[in-house]
Amino acid sequence: MRRVITLENNVKRELPEDVMNDMKLKPFASSELGHPEIQRTAPVVRVTTGQNKVVDSLEEVIKSNLKDGMTISFHHHFRNGDFAFNKVMDLIIKLGYKDLTLAPSSLTGVMNDKIIEAIKKGVITNITSSGMRGSLGDFVSHGGLKNPVIFRSHGNRARSIENGEIKIDVAFLGVPISDPAGNANGQEGNAVFGSLGYALMDAQYADKVVLLTDNIVPYPNTPASIKQDQVDYVVKVDQIGDPDKIGSGATRFTKDPKELKIAQMVNQVIVNSPYFKDGFSFQTGSGGAALAVTRYLRQSMLDNNITASFAVGGITKPTVDLLEEGLVRKVMDVQDFDKGAALSMAQNRNQQEIDASWYADPHNKGAVVNNLDVSILSALQIDTNFNVNVMTGSDGVIRGAVGGHQDSAAGAKMTIITAPLVRGRNATVVPSVETVVTPGESIDVLVTERGVAVNPKRQDLIDAFSKVPGLTLVSIEDLQKMAEKQVGVPKPLEYTDRTVAIVEYRDGSVIDVIKEVKD
Amino acid sequence: MRRVITLENNVKRELPEDVMNDMKLKPFASSELGHPEIQRTAPVVRVTTGQNKVVDSLEEVIKSNLKDGMTISFHHHFRNGDFAFNKVMDLIIKLGYKDLTLAPSSLTGVMNDKIIEAIKKGVITNITSSGMRGSLGDFVSHGGLKNPVIFRSHGNRARSIENGEIKIDVAFLGVPISDPAGNANGQEGNAVFGSLGYALMDAQYADKVVLLTDNIVPYPNTPASIKQDQVDYVVKVDQIGDPDKIGSGATRFTKDPKELKIAQMVNQVIVNSPYFKDGFSFQTGSGGAALAVTRYLRQSMLDNNITASFAVGGITKPTVDLLEEGLVRKVMDVQDFDKGAALSMAQNRNQQEIDASWYADPHNKGAVVNNLDVSILSALQIDTNFNVNVMTGSDGVIRGAVGGHQDSAAGAKMTIITAPLVRGRNATVVPSVETVVTPGESIDVLVTERGVAVNPKRQDLIDAFSKVPGLTLVSIEDLQKMAEKQVGVPKPLEYTDRTVAIVEYRDGSVIDVIKEVKD
């Protein structure tokens, strides 16, 4: 058996020294990042007068711009309604390219088959992404990709693009509307997804920017989220996306009593925290509990005559409703999770599109997440040190995404994790998470249906919540024991020595690695 | 007498070889710039979480960020209502800095005294600007500054910032509204000027960005033309500008019969050109004739049932009126010349703020000026080769600005110069301009009150205009002779051998130099 030399980072994860050295990585130290001075990078721009960049042949664009070994990027704003990715990747595979690095903002299920095909054919040999799920996560977890995937948060991707750690050679960006010069947004057309937030990084920093669209309108198209001076080509395609699969068409309000109970408790936690006052700010997610939180929070705001200064993050219709109702003053919008939020961007001047750097970059002069009071985030697992896993399942297989989790947790004054104590036969609250994504030092409160656990470092919150009638405060160790009592102690998972993925912290340090699952 | 070795550029201007070599400059060759590949540069960013950047002491900000020999920048959007420049420069002079390069988007008269003081004290030893006027132009033309000023067009400044020819160390940017994190725009507050177009380059590329404002509002301030992730400091001042001096309060419609006649002829030229059809685009300036052109053009559009796709440039109220009337679909707005245009930006979604690169940069992937059909520009002088001078007066003294002249002329399909044949006792149409700013190859039509001269290379326009009743076509040589007949042949101006300013073409080549006037 090969002997593996490891070094331990500050969340007590063993990192393989050979991989760390080969990839020139440093171990995670702290969520406090200080004040480094960062030399940013910039693209090489091929000059053109650029009135009409419309081309028919995507193949010609690829052939005249892509070389083996290059880095290509995509955005994931179309989610499972994406027709751009497979169209491009089909051609790249057909043309026989090798050793490409795939560096999208994230990957969605609809891309999985094509990526696996590209990996098997040697077309893609490196991937960096926010996450992956389904067959691709399974494939990578079973050692399908030669080199480790690098998982980066949305803020970390922005940071890495800005400082050159990710150098995008060609960005392929699908948009629902563009003019012939490349002025484009995500707000009009058939396949509307709203904010182009993540893709704005690619448009600014890639050497070559290729737009794909089914909707070319007369010049000038405004508002121009992507601007003509950033774009090399506009490729006309028959259909760029399936509007029905871009986001959930309508907002589901959960009827699951467990989710409703958690949402109510989250609302109690917020309302009784020192942050619930006029001008407070929050980020919620898109799950059933998160939507329910927004509803309860709305009532609390009305009852207490309190309005929020802003909401940020992946935006949903209920959040936009708060904006229109005057309960939220601004929506800072890096991504829209449903059609209602996407469509409202064109109507609401106060729904401000923000790019990934503005949203969450840890290495700039200030991101929106740093101004957050309350962030409500989810977890696949959380351990008794409050470390959170949103990346691997209880079987050790990759099935998640960092998203903005690390960023929002680091920035917010109070980060609340919502999670059921157990999911099926698996504990959510565990002695030690399979994969640390967000360090416990960034997490303040865990809300489960069995009670609320506050991070011991937040004695101020413990004091505040102790006085609240009906709010059950428990230690996280007790929650872990309750979970264990329900589902028992699982057999430890078995992994090989091989590292299949690196989970970076938002500053580029390594917070954990993911090993090949043995089965 | 010292022998000066010169080299001649493609508009037949003698350029001093020693200056060209010392400053590593190349002579102007052509307005066709081809497809070079340009490595852009990027700033050094000092990382901060950046929630509250408000500081009271501008002096402390200067002391902790500015060093001798650095480059500082300002914008000129406040025009003569600017309180930011003198406030900053006063402190810089007081603190005894030396050898600074001043690199504003342009300079306005209200700054002149302070700049002359700074030059005399050795604080400023280099200047690059779009232009200068009044006492400063006089001072420089008489050899007051040690090193030659470099005059750059708005597009050229963007280009030079992007590729590092201008490296801004500290940008001091006045704004009428900002939040404590630095989200700012020019659209709200007391001293509103509308588009922040030129300043957006500084915000993106300067190492340090210092906002000055009298109006700090709660976070988050949107729309954010300048974004929090670009800003290092927000300095609170008592008053940032004088709203009454920012732009002309009301639109003056000329009653000068000569200007009205020229405007009518310009309208005839446009209407009878091949470009006057639905979806055409135009740029006009802010002078009396330009405003009259807009009025006549409006009537022609109504009469012919034609609407414009966009208007671009420095924007005035009459242009915004066309937008609101539906005669212009979009206004691409890099700068607002009057209060009406400035105030309307917050109301009109179709009044799109654009930065200087998007507007006019010759070295990007396509600027708005390249999409222009018709550009109407002014001239201090125009010669029989159609070369235009907008920089020096008939006495050889600096009293103008390149502005977007070169950029718009190079981009537009038809560039029209409007000028009276003579001004007072000086001819406007001359055998040879004192200073070439825009090469004749970019100029298609000259409209004077005595007739219209078409550049002989545009036989298509000559053919089109020949058929128009009432439109007097004359050769530019004849116009020059008519002018000469009116005012006589002036005594040639006398200059010393010393170069006091370089006029760059938009690609950074030298189109002319300005010599020290002898008197």
Side-chain angles (χ1 to χ4, degrees), chain A residues 281-320:
Chain A
S281 59
F282 63 91
Q283 168 162 354
T284 58
S286 64
L291 293 177
V293 168
T294 305
R295 184 187 279 198
Y296 291 121
L297 195 55
R298 172 182 173 278
Q299 194 56 51
S300 299
M301 290 166 78
L302 287 171
D303 292 346
N304 293 279
N305 199 23
I306 278 177
T307 60
S309 55
F310 72 92
V312 67
I315 302 300
T316 57
K317 182 66 165 54
T319 303
V320 171

mmCIF file of all heavy atoms in Angstrom, chain A residues 281-320:
data_model
loop_
_atom_site.group_PDB
_atom_site.id
_atom_site.type_symbol
_atom_site.label_atom_id
_atom_site.label_comp_id
_atom_site.label_asym_id
_atom_site.label_seq_id
_atom_site.Cartn_x
_atom_site.Cartn_y
_atom_site.Cartn_z
ATOM 1 N N SER A 281 -30.729 43.501 6.308
ATOM 2 C CA SER A 281 -30.573 42.876 4.986
ATOM 3 C C SER A 281 -30.476 41.363 5.127
ATOM 4 O O SER A 281 -30.083 40.857 6.180
ATOM 5 C CB SER A 281 -29.314 43.412 4.308
ATOM 6 O OG SER A 281 -28.176 43.145 5.104
ATOM 7 N N PHE A 282 -30.847 40.677 4.067
ATOM 8 C CA PHE A 282 -30.857 39.211 4.179
ATOM 9 C C PHE A 282 -30.643 38.526 2.832
ATOM 10 O O PHE A 282 -30.875 39.100 1.770
ATOM 11 C CB PHE A 282 -32.157 38.735 4.822
ATOM 12 C CG PHE A 282 -33.402 39.045 4.019
ATOM 13 C CD1 PHE A 282 -33.899 38.147 3.088
ATOM 14 C CD2 PHE A 282 -34.075 40.261 4.186
ATOM 15 C CE1 PHE A 282 -35.042 38.436 2.344
ATOM 16 C CE2 PHE A 282 -35.208 40.559 3.443
ATOM 17 C CZ PHE A 282 -35.702 39.652 2.523
ATOM 18 N N GLN A 283 -30.185 37.287 2.925
ATOM 19 C CA GLN A 283 -30.110 36.397 1.773
ATOM 20 C C GLN A 283 -30.841 35.112 2.131
ATOM 21 O O GLN A 283 -30.621 34.536 3.191
ATOM 22 C CB GLN A 283 -28.644 36.083 1.428
ATOM 23 C CG GLN A 283 -28.496 34.931 0.419
ATOM 24 C CD GLN A 283 -27.128 34.875 -0.260
ATOM 25 O OE1 GLN A 283 -26.296 35.753 -0.084
ATOM 26 N NE2 GLN A 283 -26.901 33.842 -1.047
ATOM 27 N N THR A 284 -31.740 34.692 1.254
ATOM 28 C CA THR A 284 -32.372 33.387 1.431
ATOM 29 C C THR A 284 -32.103 32.563 0.194
ATOM 30 O O THR A 284 -31.711 33.091 -0.836
ATOM 31 C CB THR A 284 -33.900 33.507 1.602
ATOM 32 O OG1 THR A 284 -34.423 34.165 0.446
ATOM 33 C CG2 THR A 284 -34.265 34.274 2.837
ATOM 34 N N GLY A 285 -32.318 31.301 0.268
ATOM 35 C CA GLY A 285 -32.109 30.430 -0.886
ATOM 36 C C GLY A 285 -33.415 30.157 -1.605
ATOM 37 O O GLY A 285 -34.355 30.946 -1.565
ATOM 38 N N SER A 286 -33.470 29.011 -2.281
ATOM 39 C CA SER A 286 -34.617 28.725 -3.128
ATOM 40 C C SER A 286 -35.379 27.477 -2.703
ATOM 41 O O SER A 286 -36.357 27.116 -3.325
ATOM 42 C CB SER A 286 -34.154 28.544 -4.573
ATOM 43 O OG SER A 286 -33.302 27.409 -4.650
ATOM 44 N N GLY A 287 -34.942 26.800 -1.659
ATOM 45 C CA GLY A 287 -35.634 25.581 -1.234
ATOM 46 C C GLY A 287 -37.001 25.906 -0.633
ATOM 47 O O GLY A 287 -37.357 27.073 -0.441
ATOM 48 N N GLY A 288 -37.754 24.858 -0.359
ATOM 49 C CA GLY A 288 -39.087 25.038 0.201
ATOM 50 C C GLY A 288 -39.061 25.811 1.513
ATOM 51 O O GLY A 288 -39.837 26.743 1.716
ATOM 52 N N ALA A 289 -38.129 25.460 2.402
ATOM 53 C CA ALA A 289 -38.049 26.141 3.693
ATOM 54 C C ALA A 289 -37.691 27.610 3.505
ATOM 55 O O ALA A 289 -38.263 28.484 4.154
ATOM 56 C CB ALA A 289 -37.022 25.447 4.587
ATOM 57 N N ALA A 290 -36.773 27.879 2.566
ATOM 58 C CA ALA A 290 -36.331 29.260 2.342
ATOM 59 C C ALA A 290 -37.493 30.128 1.890
ATOM 60 O O ALA A 290 -37.664 31.260 2.354
ATOM 61 C CB ALA A 290 -35.203 29.301 1.316
ATOM 62 N N LEU A 291 -38.317 29.590 0.984
ATOM 63 C CA LEU A 291 -39.476 30.347 0.517
ATOM 64 C C LEU A 291 -40.457 30.594 1.650
ATOM 65 O O LEU A 291 -41.049 31.667 1.763
ATOM 66 C CB LEU A 291 -40.164 29.610 -0.636
ATOM 67 C CG LEU A 291 -39.342 29.521 -1.935
ATOM 68 C CD1 LEU A 291 -40.084 28.703 -2.974
ATOM 69 C CD2 LEU A 291 -39.018 30.896 -2.479
ATOM 70 N N ALA A 292 -40.606 29.596 2.500
ATOM 71 C CA ALA A 292 -41.502 29.764 3.646
ATOM 72 C C ALA A 292 -40.954 30.806 4.616
ATOM 73 O O ALA A 292 -41.705 31.610 5.174
ATOM 74 C CB ALA A 292 -41.701 28.420 4.355
ATOM 75 N N VAL A 293 -39.631 30.834 4.783
ATOM 76 C CA VAL A 293 -39.016 31.854 5.635
ATOM 77 C C VAL A 293 -39.388 33.242 5.129
ATOM 78 O O VAL A 293 -39.769 34.123 5.896
ATOM 79 C CB VAL A 293 -37.470 31.706 5.666
ATOM 80 C CG1 VAL A 293 -36.836 32.936 6.307
ATOM 81 C CG2 VAL A 293 -37.069 30.453 6.418
ATOM 82 N N THR A 294 -39.267 33.409 3.805
ATOM 83 C CA THR A 294 -39.584 34.715 3.220
ATOM 84 C C THR A 294 -41.018 35.113 3.558
ATOM 85 O O THR A 294 -41.300 36.267 3.868
ATOM 86 C CB THR A 294 -39.383 34.668 1.687
ATOM 87 O OG1 THR A 294 -38.052 34.221 1.412
ATOM 88 C CG2 THR A 294 -39.590 36.035 1.065
ATOM 89 N N ARG A 295 -41.935 34.141 3.538
ATOM 90 C CA ARG A 295 -43.332 34.464 3.838
ATOM 91 C C ARG A 295 -43.525 34.871 5.309
ATOM 92 O O ARG A 295 -44.185 35.863 5.612
ATOM 93 C CB ARG A 295 -44.227 33.260 3.510
ATOM 94 C CG ARG A 295 -45.704 33.572 3.700
ATOM 95 C CD ARG A 295 -46.576 32.347 3.552
ATOM 96 N NE ARG A 295 -46.822 32.055 2.152
ATOM 97 C CZ ARG A 295 -47.825 31.263 1.742
ATOM 98 N NH1 ARG A 295 -48.647 30.706 2.627
ATOM 99 N NH2 ARG A 295 -48.013 31.003 0.479
ATOM 100 N N TYR A 296 -42.909 34.085 6.209
ATOM 101 C CA TYR A 296 -43.037 34.433 7.632
ATOM 102 C C TYR A 296 -42.364 35.768 7.939
ATOM 103 O O TYR A 296 -42.860 36.588 8.714
ATOM 104 C CB TYR A 296 -42.420 33.337 8.510
ATOM 105 C CG TYR A 296 -43.205 32.045 8.502
ATOM 106 C CD1 TYR A 296 -42.615 30.858 8.097
ATOM 107 C CD2 TYR A 296 -44.544 32.007 8.901
ATOM 108 C CE1 TYR A 296 -43.329 29.668 8.082
ATOM 109 C CE2 TYR A 296 -45.268 30.824 8.890
ATOM 110 C CZ TYR A 296 -44.654 29.658 8.477
ATOM 111 O OH TYR A 296 -45.378 28.486 8.475
ATOM 112 N N LEU A 297 -41.210 35.969 7.302
ATOM 113 C CA LEU A 297 -40.452 37.193 7.531
ATOM 114 C C LEU A 297 -41.261 38.407 7.075
ATOM 115 O O LEU A 297 -41.254 39.462 7.727
ATOM 116 C CB LEU A 297 -39.121 37.111 6.774
ATOM 117 C CG LEU A 297 -38.025 38.114 7.142
ATOM 118 C CD1 LEU A 297 -37.714 38.082 8.631
ATOM 119 C CD2 LEU A 297 -36.753 37.810 6.350
ATOM 120 N N ARG A 298 -41.956 38.243 5.968
ATOM 121 C CA ARG A 298 -42.804 39.321 5.465
ATOM 122 C C ARG A 298 -43.804 39.752 6.541
ATOM 123 O O ARG A 298 -43.963 40.945 6.826
ATOM 124 C CB ARG A 298 -43.549 38.851 4.215
ATOM 125 C CG ARG A 298 -44.610 39.831 3.731
ATOM 126 C CD ARG A 298 -45.366 39.319 2.523
ATOM 127 N NE ARG A 298 -46.468 40.232 2.233
ATOM 128 C CZ ARG A 298 -47.641 40.206 2.855
ATOM 129 N NH1 ARG A 298 -47.878 39.309 3.816
ATOM 130 N NH2 ARG A 298 -48.584 41.084 2.562
ATOM 131 N N GLN A 299 -44.441 38.760 7.154
ATOM 132 C CA GLN A 299 -45.441 39.078 8.183
ATOM 133 C C GLN A 299 -44.800 39.767 9.380
ATOM 134 O O GLN A 299 -45.333 40.744 9.921
ATOM 135 C CB GLN A 299 -46.180 37.803 8.619
ATOM 136 C CG GLN A 299 -47.454 38.084 9.413
ATOM 137 C CD GLN A 299 -48.433 38.993 8.650
ATOM 138 O OE1 GLN A 299 -48.756 38.735 7.490
ATOM 139 N NE2 GLN A 299 -48.883 40.073 9.289
ATOM 140 N N SER A 300 -43.624 39.284 9.775
ATOM 141 C CA SER A 300 -42.921 39.906 10.905
ATOM 142 C C SER A 300 -42.537 41.345 10.596
ATOM 143 O O SER A 300 -42.580 42.229 11.464
ATOM 144 C CB SER A 300 -41.656 39.112 11.242
ATOM 145 O OG SER A 300 -41.983 37.798 11.620
ATOM 146 N N MET A 301 -42.147 41.586 9.342
ATOM 147 C CA MET A 301 -41.771 42.949 8.949
ATOM 148 C C MET A 301 -42.993 43.866 9.008
ATOM 149 O O MET A 301 -42.917 44.993 9.513
ATOM 150 C CB MET A 301 -41.150 42.941 7.547
ATOM 151 C CG MET A 301 -39.772 42.288 7.511
ATOM 152 S SD MET A 301 -39.201 41.906 5.825
ATOM 153 C CE MET A 301 -38.692 43.536 5.303
ATOM 154 N N LEU A 302 -44.118 43.372 8.519
ATOM 155 C CA LEU A 302 -45.365 44.146 8.582
ATOM 156 C C LEU A 302 -45.759 44.408 10.032
ATOM 157 O O LEU A 302 -46.075 45.542 10.408
ATOM 158 C CB LEU A 302 -46.481 43.397 7.859
ATOM 159 C CG LEU A 302 -46.416 43.375 6.330
ATOM 160 C CD1 LEU A 302 -47.457 42.413 5.754
ATOM 161 C CD2 LEU A 302 -46.612 44.777 5.756
ATOM 162 N N ASP A 303 -45.704 43.355 10.865
ATOM 163 C CA ASP A 303 -46.128 43.467 12.261
ATOM 164 C C ASP A 303 -45.275 44.471 13.030
ATOM 165 O O ASP A 303 -45.747 45.172 13.919
ATOM 166 C CB ASP A 303 -46.030 42.104 12.967
ATOM 167 C CG ASP A 303 -47.050 41.117 12.418
ATOM 168 O OD1 ASP A 303 -47.981 41.557 11.700
ATOM 169 O OD2 ASP A 303 -46.912 39.907 12.698
ATOM 170 N N ASN A 304 -43.978 44.500 12.691
ATOM 171 C CA ASN A 304 -43.050 45.344 13.451
ATOM 172 C C ASN A 304 -42.711 46.654 12.746
ATOM 173 O O ASN A 304 -41.843 47.393 13.196
ATOM 174 C CB ASN A 304 -41.764 44.566 13.729
ATOM 175 C CG ASN A 304 -41.993 43.393 14.671
ATOM 176 O OD1 ASN A 304 -42.041 43.574 15.880
ATOM 177 N ND2 ASN A 304 -42.174 42.203 14.116
ATOM 178 N N ASN A 305 -43.372 46.871 11.609
ATOM 179 C CA ASN A 305 -43.145 48.105 10.854
ATOM 180 C C ASN A 305 -41.666 48.290 10.491
ATOM 181 O O ASN A 305 -41.067 49.343 10.690
ATOM 182 C CB ASN A 305 -43.656 49.301 11.674
ATOM 183 C CG ASN A 305 -43.884 50.512 10.782
ATOM 184 O OD1 ASN A 305 -44.071 50.362 9.569
ATOM 185 N ND2 ASN A 305 -43.850 51.693 11.369
ATOM 186 N N ILE A 306 -41.098 47.199 9.985
ATOM 187 C CA ILE A 306 -39.676 47.185 9.636
ATOM 188 C C ILE A 306 -39.532 46.901 8.149
ATOM 189 O O ILE A 306 -40.232 46.045 7.604
ATOM 190 C CB ILE A 306 -38.942 46.104 10.478
ATOM 191 C CG1 ILE A 306 -38.618 46.681 11.858
ATOM 192 C CG2 ILE A 306 -37.690 45.597 9.788
ATOM 193 C CD1 ILE A 306 -37.968 45.691 12.781
ATOM 194 N N THR A 307 -38.647 47.644 7.486
ATOM 195 C CA THR A 307 -38.340 47.328 6.092
ATOM 196 C C THR A 307 -36.856 46.988 5.966
ATOM 197 O O THR A 307 -36.037 47.420 6.776
ATOM 198 C CB THR A 307 -38.671 48.502 5.153
ATOM 199 O OG1 THR A 307 -37.903 49.635 5.547
ATOM 200 C CG2 THR A 307 -40.148 48.851 5.200
ATOM 201 N N ALA A 308 -36.558 46.220 4.948
ATOM 202 C CA ALA A 308 -35.171 45.802 4.725
ATOM 203 C C ALA A 308 -34.509 46.727 3.716
ATOM 204 O O ALA A 308 -35.154 47.224 2.790
ATOM 205 C CB ALA A 308 -35.128 44.370 4.213
ATOM 206 N N SER A 309 -33.210 46.946 3.897
ATOM 207 C CA SER A 309 -32.471 47.766 2.928
ATOM 208 C C SER A 309 -32.260 46.993 1.635
ATOM 209 O O SER A 309 -32.397 47.539 0.551
ATOM 210 C CB SER A 309 -31.135 48.214 3.509
ATOM 211 O OG SER A 309 -30.374 47.103 3.945
ATOM 212 N N PHE A 310 -31.907 45.714 1.766
ATOM 213 C CA PHE A 310 -31.745 44.931 0.548
ATOM 214 C C PHE A 310 -31.835 43.434 0.815
ATOM 215 O O PHE A 310 -31.619 42.975 1.934
ATOM 216 C CB PHE A 310 -30.423 45.247 -0.173
ATOM 217 C CG PHE A 310 -29.179 44.729 0.518
ATOM 218 C CD1 PHE A 310 -28.647 43.485 0.204
ATOM 219 C CD2 PHE A 310 -28.530 45.498 1.474
ATOM 220 C CE1 PHE A 310 -27.494 43.011 0.835
ATOM 221 C CE2 PHE A 310 -27.385 45.028 2.115
ATOM 222 C CZ PHE A 310 -26.865 43.779 1.798
ATOM 223 N N ALA A 311 -32.176 42.718 -0.243
ATOM 224 C CA ALA A 311 -32.057 41.266 -0.271
ATOM 225 C C ALA A 311 -31.071 40.945 -1.385
ATOM 226 O O ALA A 311 -30.995 41.662 -2.380
ATOM 227 C CB ALA A 311 -33.402 40.621 -0.550
ATOM 228 N N VAL A 312 -30.304 39.892 -1.216
ATOM 229 C CA VAL A 312 -29.276 39.545 -2.195
ATOM 230 C C VAL A 312 -29.296 38.054 -2.455
ATOM 231 O O VAL A 312 -29.856 37.289 -1.666
ATOM 232 C CB VAL A 312 -27.873 39.990 -1.703
ATOM 233 C CG1 VAL A 312 -27.431 39.193 -0.499
ATOM 234 C CG2 VAL A 312 -26.836 39.911 -2.816
ATOM 235 N N GLY A 313 -28.671 37.670 -3.564
ATOM 236 C CA GLY A 313 -28.451 36.253 -3.810
ATOM 237 C C GLY A 313 -29.170 35.770 -5.036
ATOM 238 O O GLY A 313 -29.528 36.560 -5.914
ATOM 239 N N GLY A 314 -29.351 34.475 -5.073
ATOM 240 C CA GLY A 314 -30.260 33.918 -6.025
ATOM 241 C C GLY A 314 -31.633 34.429 -5.616
ATOM 242 O O GLY A 314 -32.052 34.291 -4.465
ATOM 243 N N ILE A 315 -32.329 35.066 -6.551
ATOM 244 C CA ILE A 315 -33.569 35.767 -6.217
ATOM 245 C C ILE A 315 -34.782 34.954 -6.685
ATOM 246 O O ILE A 315 -34.753 34.331 -7.748
ATOM 247 C CB ILE A 315 -33.584 37.155 -6.875
ATOM 248 C CG1 ILE A 315 -32.358 37.973 -6.412
ATOM 249 C CG2 ILE A 315 -34.867 37.919 -6.548
ATOM 250 C CD1 ILE A 315 -32.270 38.207 -4.927
ATOM 251 N N THR A 316 -35.838 34.981 -5.857
ATOM 252 C CA THR A 316 -37.079 34.291 -6.207
ATOM 253 C C THR A 316 -38.226 35.305 -6.252
ATOM 254 O O THR A 316 -38.110 36.413 -5.748
ATOM 255 C CB THR A 316 -37.418 33.212 -5.163
ATOM 256 O OG1 THR A 316 -37.512 33.842 -3.880
ATOM 257 C CG2 THR A 316 -36.348 32.130 -5.121
ATOM 258 N N LYS A 317 -39.324 34.858 -6.823
ATOM 259 C CA LYS A 317 -40.503 35.717 -6.933
ATOM 260 C C LYS A 317 -40.942 36.288 -5.586
ATOM 261 O O LYS A 317 -41.267 37.484 -5.500
ATOM 262 C CB LYS A 317 -41.629 34.916 -7.595
ATOM 263 C CG LYS A 317 -42.923 35.683 -7.836
ATOM 264 C CD LYS A 317 -42.757 36.798 -8.846
ATOM 265 C CE LYS A 317 -44.070 37.332 -9.375
ATOM 266 N NZ LYS A 317 -45.005 37.771 -8.336
ATOM 267 N N PRO A 318 -40.999 35.477 -4.513
ATOM 268 C CA PRO A 318 -41.427 36.058 -3.231
ATOM 269 C C PRO A 318 -40.551 37.225 -2.771
ATOM 270 O O PRO A 318 -41.034 38.165 -2.139
ATOM 271 C CB PRO A 318 -41.316 34.875 -2.258
ATOM 272 C CG PRO A 318 -41.484 33.668 -3.114
ATOM 273 C CD PRO A 318 -40.832 34.010 -4.421
ATOM 274 N N THR A 319 -39.267 37.189 -3.103
ATOM 275 C CA THR A 319 -38.383 38.298 -2.739
ATOM 276 C C THR A 319 -38.705 39.536 -3.568
ATOM 277 O O THR A 319 -38.736 40.660 -3.059
ATOM 278 C CB THR A 319 -36.906 37.894 -2.926
ATOM 279 O OG1 THR A 319 -36.658 36.723 -2.141
ATOM 280 C CG2 THR A 319 -35.977 38.994 -2.469
ATOM 281 N N VAL A 320 -38.944 39.309 -4.866
ATOM 282 C CA VAL A 320 -39.326 40.436 -5.727
ATOM 283 C C VAL A 320 -40.660 41.030 -5.270
ATOM 284 O O VAL A 320 -40.869 42.247 -5.336
ATOM 285 C CB VAL A 320 -39.389 39.971 -7.193
ATOM 286 C CG1 VAL A 320 -39.980 41.055 -8.069
ATOM 287 C CG2 VAL A 320 -38.005 39.586 -7.689
#
